[in-house]
Amino acid sequence: MSIDLERARVTAINTSRGWQARRNWAEGSVDLDDLTDALEHLEEAEGLLGVIACHHPFRSPADAPLRISTRRGQRASALMENSGAQLLLTGHVHTPSAEVWRGEAGGYLNLTCGTLSQRLRAAPPSFNVIDVGDDKISAWSMACEKDGMRATPMGGWTRAHLEPTESDTVPS
């Protein structure tokens, strides 16, 4: 499933699984064929920011109190790093975070969001607001507090910063 916006194409994949043969099956699993198909679909959207949306982060965010291990997440992260996709939108850890994950061929921005639930959460209920400009991505976490909304900047990134550079490429 995809949607084209003014400056981005967002493609969703399902990382939730009803059952897995492991102790904590709630951590999710990436179907690498689904991800590959989604990444190929994003490449067709010339000039638009390539965005993958799913429930589980591929790798555990460094500052999230809930540590996760998404099945095939490391391989999924490597696929993202080597693709034209530049943004991964996820949840599951219930804590807003922003992190650039870099590999040999490039990188992408992983944005996790909070949750509107108040049950057993380390952060207040929140959601993210993302602005995609011609060359910049900006994000804010919007926390729902008793006295109103509080916007916290998560950061700003240039799209060029997420693309491969000479120092990222492996010599042949």
Side-chain angles (χ1 to χ4, degrees):
M1 180 178 98
S2 290
I3 185 170
D4 284 353
L5 304 172
E6 185 178 339
R7 292 189 175 106
R9 173 175 283 178
V10 182
T11 300
I13 63 169
N14 183 8
T15 57
S16 298
R17 301 292 181 258
W19 183 88
Q20 296 175 56
R22 63 179 173 158
R23 187 178 180 109
N24 187 356
W25 52 268
E27 290 188 334
S29 178
V30 179
D31 182 314
L32 297 175
D33 290 335
D34 288 351
L35 177 60
T36 299
D37 290 346
L39 292 172
E40 288 173 0
H41 183 65
L42 292 178
E43 287 178 12
E44 298 168 4
E46 199 170 306
L48 296 178
L49 178 73
V51 182
I52 295 287
C54 57
H55 183 73
H56 298 86
F58 295 161
R59 297 170 27 198
S60 196
D63 56 354
L66 176 61
R67 307 305 296 164
I68 63 153
S69 178
T70 301
R71 184 171 291 213
R72 291 184 287 282
Q74 294 295 330
R75 287 186 279 171
S77 185
L79 284 171
M80 281 283 293
E81 292 163 1
N82 291 307
S83 76
Q86 293 182 292
L87 182 57
L88 178 65
L89 303 177
T90 67
H92 189 70
V93 295
H94 300 228
T95 304
S97 70
E99 202 169 1
V100 175
W101 288 339
R102 298 200 69 72
E104 292 177 352
Y108 66 95
L109 174 61
N110 181 68
L111 287 178
T112 62
C113 63
T115 179
L116 295 178
S117 168
Q118 295 181 9
R119 182 181 60 86
L120 303 173
R121 307 296 179 229
S126 67
F127 58 91
N128 292 347
V129 173
I130 303 162
D131 180 47
V132 177
D134 287 334
D135 189 48
K136 188 171 182 176
I137 304 165
S138 302
W140 297 265
S141 172
M142 303 297 291
C144 306
E145 309 226 336
K146 289 180 183 177
D147 57 346
M149 299 297 294
R150 179 178 40 92
T152 303
M154 297 175 77
W157 304 266
T158 62
R159 289 175 62 176
H161 173 74
L162 300 172
E163 293 175 356
T165 64
E166 252 183 65
S167 63
D168 292 329
T169 58
V170 178
S172 31

